[in-house]
Amino acid sequence: MSEYKYCNLREKQKLKETAANWFHEKWGVPKEAYLECMEAYLKGDTEYGWYLCLDGDKIVGGLGVIDNDFHDRKDLTPNICAVYTEEEYRCQGIAGVLLNMAVENLKTKGITPVYLVTDHVGFYERYGWEFFCMAQGDGEPEMTRLYMHSCKETF
């Protein structure tokens, strides 16, 4: 088994095009939308970043942070988006490491809480996420679960 490398896109800027293509292939969102968000992050216009897991040179997991992940609760920001781990790499904790990286990075910049929408029940709770409310996804007929991570300090 190989050692995975976890990074944010600022650490591996040369992966921008590859990462935008990878996320586009997973979610069907236009590559240009990913590139626009990634460019804003790389230029320092936002601290909402992009996080990757690499096996050698291959992206095997990733996620991003954006203002809103296509739901009606525009007041709940920022949002983790595009969480994905390649099927053959699942059940190894990759998504958990990426989620924790994003939350901790945002916390160091004073950005908390963080939100995400998902249909999964039980997965995100393992990483400190709490169900917050139901939200209406843009163009979706059914409501979806919206979670919050408050980055609480423990004393």
Side-chain angles (χ1 to χ4, degrees), residues 101-123:
M101 281 178 65
V103 166
E104 287 301 314
N105 185 265
L106 291 166
K107 179 181 168 183
T108 66
K109 294 164 176 48
I111 302 169
T112 184
V114 184
Y115 302 91
L116 65 79
V117 290
T118 184
D119 293 328
H120 294 285
V121 177
F123 177 78

PDB file of all heavy atoms in Angstrom, residues 101-123:
ATOM      1  N   MET A 101      -8.879  18.515   7.300  1.00  0.00           N
ATOM      2  CA  MET A 101      -7.940  19.521   6.782  1.00  0.00           C
ATOM      3  C   MET A 101      -8.665  20.824   6.476  1.00  0.00           C
ATOM      4  O   MET A 101      -8.195  21.908   6.853  1.00  0.00           O
ATOM      5  CB  MET A 101      -7.271  19.029   5.489  1.00  0.00           C
ATOM      6  CG  MET A 101      -6.147  18.069   5.663  1.00  0.00           C
ATOM      7  SD  MET A 101      -5.489  17.530   4.040  1.00  0.00           S
ATOM      8  CE  MET A 101      -4.831  19.073   3.387  1.00  0.00           C
ATOM      9  N   ALA A 102      -9.767  20.729   5.771  1.00  0.00           N
ATOM     10  CA  ALA A 102     -10.511  21.927   5.381  1.00  0.00           C
ATOM     11  C   ALA A 102     -11.031  22.666   6.604  1.00  0.00           C
ATOM     12  O   ALA A 102     -10.865  23.887   6.724  1.00  0.00           O
ATOM     13  CB  ALA A 102     -11.662  21.548   4.444  1.00  0.00           C
ATOM     14  N   VAL A 103     -11.657  21.943   7.522  1.00  0.00           N
ATOM     15  CA  VAL A 103     -12.215  22.562   8.722  1.00  0.00           C
ATOM     16  C   VAL A 103     -11.120  23.234   9.550  1.00  0.00           C
ATOM     17  O   VAL A 103     -11.266  24.376   9.996  1.00  0.00           O
ATOM     18  CB  VAL A 103     -12.991  21.514   9.563  1.00  0.00           C
ATOM     19  CG1 VAL A 103     -13.289  22.036  10.960  1.00  0.00           C
ATOM     20  CG2 VAL A 103     -14.278  21.118   8.847  1.00  0.00           C
ATOM     21  N   GLU A 104     -10.013  22.542   9.755  1.00  0.00           N
ATOM     22  CA  GLU A 104      -8.913  23.100  10.549  1.00  0.00           C
ATOM     23  C   GLU A 104      -8.286  24.303   9.862  1.00  0.00           C
ATOM     24  O   GLU A 104      -7.949  25.299  10.517  1.00  0.00           O
ATOM     25  CB  GLU A 104      -7.854  22.033  10.841  1.00  0.00           C
ATOM     26  CG  GLU A 104      -8.302  21.014  11.860  1.00  0.00           C
ATOM     27  CD  GLU A 104      -8.678  21.636  13.208  1.00  0.00           C
ATOM     28  OE1 GLU A 104      -7.917  22.497  13.715  1.00  0.00           O
ATOM     29  OE2 GLU A 104      -9.740  21.275  13.737  1.00  0.00           O
ATOM     30  N   ASN A 105      -8.120  24.245   8.542  1.00  0.00           N
ATOM     31  CA  ASN A 105      -7.556  25.367   7.808  1.00  0.00           C
ATOM     32  C   ASN A 105      -8.451  26.593   7.916  1.00  0.00           C
ATOM     33  O   ASN A 105      -7.969  27.707   8.154  1.00  0.00           O
ATOM     34  CB  ASN A 105      -7.320  24.970   6.353  1.00  0.00           C
ATOM     35  CG  ASN A 105      -6.619  26.060   5.583  1.00  0.00           C
ATOM     36  OD1 ASN A 105      -7.251  26.876   4.926  1.00  0.00           O
ATOM     37  ND2 ASN A 105      -5.294  26.087   5.681  1.00  0.00           N
ATOM     38  N   LEU A 106      -9.750  26.396   7.754  1.00  0.00           N
ATOM     39  CA  LEU A 106     -10.685  27.511   7.877  1.00  0.00           C
ATOM     40  C   LEU A 106     -10.677  28.067   9.297  1.00  0.00           C
ATOM     41  O   LEU A 106     -10.715  29.282   9.497  1.00  0.00           O
ATOM     42  CB  LEU A 106     -12.088  27.069   7.469  1.00  0.00           C
ATOM     43  CG  LEU A 106     -12.261  26.764   5.976  1.00  0.00           C
ATOM     44  CD1 LEU A 106     -13.558  26.023   5.728  1.00  0.00           C
ATOM     45  CD2 LEU A 106     -12.170  28.026   5.135  1.00  0.00           C
ATOM     46  N   LYS A 107     -10.624  27.178  10.273  1.00  0.00           N
ATOM     47  CA  LYS A 107     -10.607  27.589  11.675  1.00  0.00           C
ATOM     48  C   LYS A 107      -9.417  28.500  11.960  1.00  0.00           C
ATOM     49  O   LYS A 107      -9.550  29.501  12.671  1.00  0.00           O
ATOM     50  CB  LYS A 107     -10.555  26.351  12.565  1.00  0.00           C
ATOM     51  CG  LYS A 107     -10.502  26.623  14.041  1.00  0.00           C
ATOM     52  CD  LYS A 107     -10.432  25.303  14.793  1.00  0.00           C
ATOM     53  CE  LYS A 107     -10.085  25.496  16.233  1.00  0.00           C
ATOM     54  NZ  LYS A 107      -9.943  24.206  16.930  1.00  0.00           N
ATOM     55  N   THR A 108      -8.235  28.193  11.410  1.00  0.00           N
ATOM     56  CA  THR A 108      -7.053  29.027  11.643  1.00  0.00           C
ATOM     57  C   THR A 108      -7.233  30.427  11.063  1.00  0.00           C
ATOM     58  O   THR A 108      -6.537  31.354  11.462  1.00  0.00           O
ATOM     59  CB  THR A 108      -5.768  28.410  11.047  1.00  0.00           C
ATOM     60  OG1 THR A 108      -5.868  28.384   9.622  1.00  0.00           O
ATOM     61  CG2 THR A 108      -5.494  27.035  11.609  1.00  0.00           C
ATOM     62  N   LYS A 109      -8.181  30.588  10.150  1.00  0.00           N
ATOM     63  CA  LYS A 109      -8.456  31.886   9.539  1.00  0.00           C
ATOM     64  C   LYS A 109      -9.695  32.535  10.151  1.00  0.00           C
ATOM     65  O   LYS A 109     -10.193  33.535   9.646  1.00  0.00           O
ATOM     66  CB  LYS A 109      -8.612  31.715   8.033  1.00  0.00           C
ATOM     67  CG  LYS A 109      -7.308  31.283   7.375  1.00  0.00           C
ATOM     68  CD  LYS A 109      -7.519  30.741   5.999  1.00  0.00           C
ATOM     69  CE  LYS A 109      -6.230  30.405   5.280  1.00  0.00           C
ATOM     70  NZ  LYS A 109      -5.264  29.651   5.993  1.00  0.00           N
ATOM     71  N   GLY A 110     -10.211  31.929  11.238  1.00  0.00           N
ATOM     72  CA  GLY A 110     -11.377  32.480  11.922  1.00  0.00           C
ATOM     73  C   GLY A 110     -12.685  32.231  11.203  1.00  0.00           C
ATOM     74  O   GLY A 110     -13.679  32.897  11.478  1.00  0.00           O
ATOM     75  N   ILE A 111     -12.689  31.286  10.288  1.00  0.00           N
ATOM     76  CA  ILE A 111     -13.902  30.982   9.510  1.00  0.00           C
ATOM     77  C   ILE A 111     -14.569  29.757  10.114  1.00  0.00           C
ATOM     78  O   ILE A 111     -14.090  28.634   9.959  1.00  0.00           O
ATOM     79  CB  ILE A 111     -13.567  30.758   8.024  1.00  0.00           C
ATOM     80  CG1 ILE A 111     -12.871  31.991   7.441  1.00  0.00           C
ATOM     81  CG2 ILE A 111     -14.821  30.408   7.235  1.00  0.00           C
ATOM     82  CD1 ILE A 111     -12.270  31.789   6.062  1.00  0.00           C
ATOM     83  N   THR A 112     -15.655  29.982  10.812  1.00  0.00           N
ATOM     84  CA  THR A 112     -16.432  28.922  11.437  1.00  0.00           C
ATOM     85  C   THR A 112     -17.807  29.483  11.774  1.00  0.00           C
ATOM     86  O   THR A 112     -17.902  30.680  12.078  1.00  0.00           O
ATOM     87  CB  THR A 112     -15.715  28.376  12.706  1.00  0.00           C
ATOM     88  OG1 THR A 112     -16.451  27.292  13.243  1.00  0.00           O
ATOM     89  CG2 THR A 112     -15.512  29.436  13.760  1.00  0.00           C
ATOM     90  N   PRO A 113     -18.873  28.732  11.681  1.00  0.00           N
ATOM     91  CA  PRO A 113     -18.956  27.331  11.297  1.00  0.00           C
ATOM     92  C   PRO A 113     -18.833  27.131   9.788  1.00  0.00           C
ATOM     93  O   PRO A 113     -18.803  28.085   9.023  1.00  0.00           O
ATOM     94  CB  PRO A 113     -20.344  26.912  11.787  1.00  0.00           C
ATOM     95  CG  PRO A 113     -21.149  28.166  11.721  1.00  0.00           C
ATOM     96  CD  PRO A 113     -20.178  29.286  12.040  1.00  0.00           C
ATOM     97  N   VAL A 114     -18.807  25.845   9.416  1.00  0.00           N
ATOM     98  CA  VAL A 114     -18.743  25.415   8.025  1.00  0.00           C
ATOM     99  C   VAL A 114     -19.933  24.483   7.794  1.00  0.00           C
ATOM    100  O   VAL A 114     -20.318  23.750   8.703  1.00  0.00           O
ATOM    101  CB  VAL A 114     -17.421  24.666   7.731  1.00  0.00           C
ATOM    102  CG1 VAL A 114     -17.316  24.300   6.265  1.00  0.00           C
ATOM    103  CG2 VAL A 114     -16.227  25.492   8.170  1.00  0.00           C
ATOM    104  N   TYR A 115     -20.501  24.502   6.595  1.00  0.00           N
ATOM    105  CA  TYR A 115     -21.695  23.718   6.285  1.00  0.00           C
ATOM    106  C   TYR A 115     -21.443  22.764   5.114  1.00  0.00           C
ATOM    107  O   TYR A 115     -20.501  22.949   4.350  1.00  0.00           O
ATOM    108  CB  TYR A 115     -22.852  24.653   5.936  1.00  0.00           C
ATOM    109  CG  TYR A 115     -23.158  25.624   7.044  1.00  0.00           C
ATOM    110  CD1 TYR A 115     -22.544  26.874   7.085  1.00  0.00           C
ATOM    111  CD2 TYR A 115     -24.025  25.282   8.076  1.00  0.00           C
ATOM    112  CE1 TYR A 115     -22.803  27.764   8.119  1.00  0.00           C
ATOM    113  CE2 TYR A 115     -24.285  26.165   9.110  1.00  0.00           C
ATOM    114  CZ  TYR A 115     -23.675  27.400   9.127  1.00  0.00           C
ATOM    115  OH  TYR A 115     -23.915  28.274  10.161  1.00  0.00           O
ATOM    116  N   LEU A 116     -22.333  21.793   4.972  1.00  0.00           N
ATOM    117  CA  LEU A 116     -22.336  20.940   3.786  1.00  0.00           C
ATOM    118  C   LEU A 116     -23.707  20.306   3.628  1.00  0.00           C
ATOM    119  O   LEU A 116     -24.439  20.151   4.601  1.00  0.00           O
ATOM    120  CB  LEU A 116     -21.246  19.866   3.826  1.00  0.00           C
ATOM    121  CG  LEU A 116     -21.258  18.758   4.872  1.00  0.00           C
ATOM    122  CD1 LEU A 116     -22.243  17.652   4.525  1.00  0.00           C
ATOM    123  CD2 LEU A 116     -19.873  18.162   4.991  1.00  0.00           C
ATOM    124  N   VAL A 117     -24.068  20.010   2.387  1.00  0.00           N
ATOM    125  CA  VAL A 117     -25.320  19.306   2.107  1.00  0.00           C
ATOM    126  C   VAL A 117     -24.985  17.905   1.627  1.00  0.00           C
ATOM    127  O   VAL A 117     -23.992  17.691   0.938  1.00  0.00           O
ATOM    128  CB  VAL A 117     -26.202  20.046   1.071  1.00  0.00           C
ATOM    129  CG1 VAL A 117     -26.777  21.313   1.659  1.00  0.00           C
ATOM    130  CG2 VAL A 117     -25.459  20.331  -0.212  1.00  0.00           C
ATOM    131  N   THR A 118     -25.833  16.952   2.027  1.00  0.00           N
ATOM    132  CA  THR A 118     -25.587  15.556   1.678  1.00  0.00           C
ATOM    133  C   THR A 118     -26.852  14.745   1.864  1.00  0.00           C
ATOM    134  O   THR A 118     -27.744  15.114   2.626  1.00  0.00           O
ATOM    135  CB  THR A 118     -24.461  14.962   2.558  1.00  0.00           C
ATOM    136  OG1 THR A 118     -24.186  13.632   2.124  1.00  0.00           O
ATOM    137  CG2 THR A 118     -24.849  14.945   4.025  1.00  0.00           C
ATOM    138  N   ASP A 119     -26.888  13.611   1.188  1.00  0.00           N
ATOM    139  CA  ASP A 119     -27.940  12.630   1.417  1.00  0.00           C
ATOM    140  C   ASP A 119     -27.457  11.526   2.352  1.00  0.00           C
ATOM    141  O   ASP A 119     -28.228  10.673   2.758  1.00  0.00           O
ATOM    142  CB  ASP A 119     -28.393  12.009   0.093  1.00  0.00           C
ATOM    143  CG  ASP A 119     -29.082  13.023  -0.794  1.00  0.00           C
ATOM    144  OD1 ASP A 119     -29.740  13.940  -0.264  1.00  0.00           O
ATOM    145  OD2 ASP A 119     -28.970  12.911  -2.029  1.00  0.00           O
ATOM    146  N   HIS A 120     -26.158  11.540   2.669  1.00  0.00           N
ATOM    147  CA  HIS A 120     -25.592  10.509   3.543  1.00  0.00           C
ATOM    148  C   HIS A 120     -25.996  10.738   4.996  1.00  0.00           C
ATOM    149  O   HIS A 120     -25.982  11.859   5.475  1.00  0.00           O
ATOM    150  CB  HIS A 120     -24.060  10.496   3.457  1.00  0.00           C
ATOM    151  CG  HIS A 120     -23.546  10.080   2.128  1.00  0.00           C
ATOM    152  ND1 HIS A 120     -23.557   8.772   1.710  1.00  0.00           N
ATOM    153  CD2 HIS A 120     -23.009  10.795   1.114  1.00  0.00           C
ATOM    154  CE1 HIS A 120     -23.053   8.703   0.490  1.00  0.00           C
ATOM    155  NE2 HIS A 120     -22.707   9.911   0.107  1.00  0.00           N
ATOM    156  N   VAL A 121     -26.328   9.661   5.675  1.00  0.00           N
ATOM    157  CA  VAL A 121     -26.631   9.716   7.095  1.00  0.00           C
ATOM    158  C   VAL A 121     -25.621   8.827   7.803  1.00  0.00           C
ATOM    159  O   VAL A 121     -25.439   7.669   7.434  1.00  0.00           O
ATOM    160  CB  VAL A 121     -28.069   9.218   7.384  1.00  0.00           C
ATOM    161  CG1 VAL A 121     -28.346   9.214   8.881  1.00  0.00           C
ATOM    162  CG2 VAL A 121     -29.092  10.067   6.641  1.00  0.00           C
ATOM    163  N   GLY A 122     -24.933   9.378   8.794  1.00  0.00           N
ATOM    164  CA  GLY A 122     -23.989   8.601   9.578  1.00  0.00           C
ATOM    165  C   GLY A 122     -22.538   8.814   9.199  1.00  0.00           C
ATOM    166  O   GLY A 122     -21.651   8.651  10.025  1.00  0.00           O
ATOM    167  N   PHE A 123     -22.267   9.177   7.958  1.00  0.00           N
ATOM    168  CA  PHE A 123     -20.878   9.328   7.520  1.00  0.00           C
ATOM    169  C   PHE A 123     -20.221  10.573   8.120  1.00  0.00           C
ATOM    170  O   PHE A 123     -19.171  10.489   8.761  1.00  0.00           O
ATOM    171  CB  PHE A 123     -20.796   9.378   5.994  1.00  0.00           C
ATOM    172  CG  PHE A 123     -19.397   9.598   5.486  1.00  0.00           C
ATOM    173  CD1 PHE A 123     -18.492   8.551   5.466  1.00  0.00           C
ATOM    174  CD2 PHE A 123     -18.974  10.846   5.065  1.00  0.00           C
ATOM    175  CE1 PHE A 123     -17.186   8.742   5.029  1.00  0.00           C
ATOM    176  CE2 PHE A 123     -17.672  11.053   4.621  1.00  0.00           C
ATOM    177  CZ  PHE A 123     -16.785   9.994   4.609  1.00  0.00           C
TER     178      PHE A 123
END
